[in-house]
Amino acid sequence: MKTNTRNICIWLFVTLSFVSCGQNNNQQEQTFVQELNKMLAWPEDGMYSDEVMDSVFDFIIRNPQSLEYEFKEEIPHVKIATSDDGNMRAYSLERYGFGGNPSWGFSCRTLLQYRSRESIFYQEVKSFNGFITHIYHIDSNKFYLLKDWQGSMNQGTYEHNSLYVYKIGNNNLHKIQGAFVNEKHLSDRLEFSWDDFGGYVEIDYDKDDSLVVYSISKKELYVIKGVPLKNKALKYRQYYWDGRCFEPNQYDEPAEYYNEKFFIRIEQNSENSWTYKCWNGDTKNGEPNLVITSGTKQYWTYSNNYISYDEWATDDESSPLGEKYIFSNNGYRYEYSHGWMRGESIDELYVYDPNEMIIYYGEFTPILHP
C-alpha cells in the first residue's frame, strides 16, 4: 500500500480467507487478532517497515467482517476506534517509538473502514497528527467527528489533539472542508493541546474522554478550554452543529447547583452579564422564585487575586482555581463561589445585606455540564 489515499470496496459476502464457515463470530475475532499479533511482532530495529504496515492493512481489507468485531482487548501497537453507530472504524498503527522515550502518535498510519449501502469500504488517510482515539456520529446524514491524539513524556508532558469532520457518501468517504468556524474563519480542523489544560491535569483524559464531549440530542460540541488546578469543573469551548459545520456558541453553558433548600441556575445572557435564578426547594419546578440580572463573573488565582472573565478567556495564561458570580438586588449582594479554596473544593453561596452582614450561607452540589 504505497498511496496516501485509497478506496476499496469489499462486499460483505466475501468470506475470511483463514476462517471456516462454521466458526462463530468470537472465534473469527480471536483468529483475526492472533494473525494481527503475528504480523505486528516487534522488529529488532524497533521500527515497522512500510511493507509490514501495508500487509497489515491489506489483511484488514481482505476481512471486512472485522467491522463487526468488538475488540474488547487492546492490540499492541494498534489503536482501534469505532463510531457509536458501528458504521466507521479507524485502525492506527504506530511505526516506532520517539527517541526511545514514552511517546505515542508521532509516526502513525491510519486506515478508515466504513459502511455504505451495505458494503464495506476502506481509505488510508495521512492528514491526522497521531492515533485516532474517538469517532463521534454527528447526525443521521452520516457526518462523523474524528479526534486524533499525540502524547509524549520527553522532558515534560506534551499532548496535542485535532478534530476533523468526515462524511460517508454513496460508496465514498470525504473530509469536510471548512468544518469549523473559528474566530469567523473557516478551518478544516480544530486543534487543542496540553497548554490548554494549564499543565495541571491529573485525569487520564484520553481514556475518560473529558477533552471532547459531543451531544447528539443538543447537536453541541464541547472542547476543552482549560481546567483550574484541583477543580473538576472543566472549561469548554462550545460549538453548535448546523448540519454543515460547527459554529461557536456565543455564551457559556448554564451552571446549575442545588442543596436541600434551593436550586440555583446561572445563565450567561450577554458577553459580560449573567442572570441568577433561584427556586425554593431542591428541584427546578415552574417559574423561579427569584431572578437577578446583570451579574458579573470573576476567577481567582493561586495568589488569591481575582481576574475578570475577559482576562480568563483571552489573556490569562495561568490556570485559575475557581470562579465567583456576583449579583446585586436592592442593596443585597449574592456571591456564588465554585472551585478550589481553603484546601478543598467548594460550592457555596453568601448573601450580604446592605450593611455587609452575612444573612445566608449555604453549601451546594453542582450539576456538571456537559
Side-chain angles (χ1 to χ4, degrees):
M1 184 176 291
K2 300 299 184 183
T3 59
N4 287 354
T5 304
R6 61 186 298 188
N7 288 286
I8 302 173
C9 175
I10 306 293
W11 297 102
L12 283 174
F13 61 74
V14 176
T15 58
L16 291 172
S17 60
F18 60 93
V19 177
S20 69
C21 295
Q23 288 180 298
N24 60 37
N25 199 59
N26 288 336
Q27 292 173 322
Q28 292 177 359
E29 180 176 340
Q30 291 174 8
T31 306
F32 181 87
V33 171
Q34 290 171 1
E35 292 297 318
L36 270 185
N37 284 329
K38 290 179 183 178
M39 301 174 73
L40 291 171
W42 193 244
E44 292 183 358
D45 62 0
M47 179 186 301
Y48 290 124
S49 65
D50 280 325
E51 288 75 16
V52 169
M53 302 181 86
D54 287 344
S55 65
V56 170
F57 284 171
D58 288 337
F59 173 74
I60 296 171
I61 290 169
R62 292 197 308 271
N63 296 280
Q65 292 91 333
S66 58
L67 184 58
E68 308 299 330
Y69 296 160
E70 295 183 6
F71 295 122
K72 293 181 179 179
E73 297 183 1
E74 292 187 2
I75 302 174
H77 315 300
V78 181
K79 180 69 176 180
I80 299 175
T82 309
S83 63
D84 53 355
D85 67 351
N87 286 325
M88 183 182 292
R89 172 168 283 165
Y91 301 85
S92 296
L93 273 63
E94 181 77 86
R95 189 188 305 271
Y96 57 84
F98 182 72
N101 291 289
S103 303
W104 306 270
F106 287 90
S107 182
C108 285
R109 285 175 58 179
T110 295
L111 180 71
L112 296 180
Q113 181 185 42
Y114 61 97
R115 192 194 327 269
S116 177
R117 293 187 171 185
E118 301 306 319
S119 301
I120 304 300
F121 293 79
Y122 297 84
Q123 180 173 314
E124 183 180 1
V125 290
K126 294 290 187 179
S127 58
F128 298 100
N129 290 323
F131 289 121
I132 304 300
T133 61
H134 293 84
I135 303 175
Y136 307 86
H137 181 210
I138 298 177
D139 62 25
S140 59
N141 292 319
K142 294 187 176 181
F143 285 94
Y144 294 83
L145 180 69
L146 280 66
K147 179 171 80 75
D148 72 4
W149 177 84
Q150 288 180 339
S152 172
M153 293 191 302
N154 181 20
Q155 295 180 343
T157 303
Y158 166 87
E159 291 188 40
H160 185 89
N161 300 262
S162 300
L163 292 170
Y164 300 84
V165 175
Y166 277 75
K167 178 177 174 58
I168 296 179
N170 295 327
N171 304 339
N172 61 50
L173 177 73
H174 62 275
K175 182 172 67 175
I176 301 300
Q177 305 296 317
F180 301 93
V181 179
N182 194 10
E183 296 181 356
K184 299 182 180 180
H185 298 290
L186 293 176
S187 176
D188 296 344
R189 66 178 180 268
L190 187 63
E191 297 182 281
F192 50 103
S193 66
W194 176 254
D195 291 339
D196 295 322
F197 315 151
Y200 293 98
V201 175
E202 300 175 354
I203 300 175
D204 188 342
Y205 284 109
D206 188 47
K207 289 185 178 180
D208 292 345
D209 199 35
S210 297
L211 294 181
V212 176
V213 179
Y214 180 71
S215 169
I216 294 178
S217 61
K218 294 193 293 184
K219 294 185 177 181
E220 289 185 336
L221 169 67
Y222 301 81
V223 180
I224 192 72
K225 180 172 70 174
V227 54
L229 178 62
K230 299 181 180 180
N231 179 5
K232 304 303 182 184
L234 308 181
K235 305 303 171 189
Y236 290 93
R237 290 175 285 169
Q238 300 170 47
Y239 299 83
Y240 175 79
W241 175 251
D242 66 1
R244 175 59 180 79
C245 64
F246 282 104
E247 295 266 3
N249 284 0
Q250 185 175 5
Y251 303 133
D252 287 344
E253 181 81 2
E256 295 181 333
Y257 313 91
Y258 70 94
N259 63 15
E260 67 280 1
K261 292 185 177 180
F262 301 109
F263 187 101
I264 296 172
R265 179 180 173 91
I266 299 175
E267 302 173 354
Q268 185 177 9
N269 51 285
S270 68
E271 185 174 355
N272 289 296
S273 180
W274 283 260
T275 295
Y276 173 96
K277 297 180 179 180
C278 182
W279 288 258
N280 294 334
D282 60 358
T283 58
K284 182 176 57 177
N285 291 320
E287 295 297 320
N289 299 98
L290 176 64
V291 177
I292 309 174
T293 60
S294 302
T296 60
K297 185 178 183 180
Q298 296 178 335
Y299 295 87
W300 68 83
T301 63
Y302 315 106
S303 56
N304 291 325
N305 292 325
Y306 283 86
I307 58 177
S308 69
Y309 174 81
D310 284 340
E311 289 175 308
W312 155 239
T314 56
D315 299 330
D316 183 65
E317 296 181 355
S318 67
S319 184
L321 297 177
E323 59 198 18
K324 176 189 286 187
Y325 298 93
I326 303 173
F327 302 90
S328 297
N329 182 40
N330 296 324
Y332 291 83
R333 188 172 78 254
Y334 293 69
E335 294 187 356
Y336 192 95
S337 298
H338 168 80
W340 183 262
M341 183 180 288
R342 302 185 299 271
E344 61 181 355
S345 294
I346 65 166
D347 275 281
E348 56 190 24
L349 173 68
Y350 282 89
V351 180
Y352 299 85
D353 69 11
N355 296 317
E356 295 296 318
M357 298 292 295
I358 297 174
I359 60 173
Y360 176 79
Y361 167 81
E363 297 180 355
F364 286 75
T365 299
I367 299 177
L368 299 179
H369 296 289

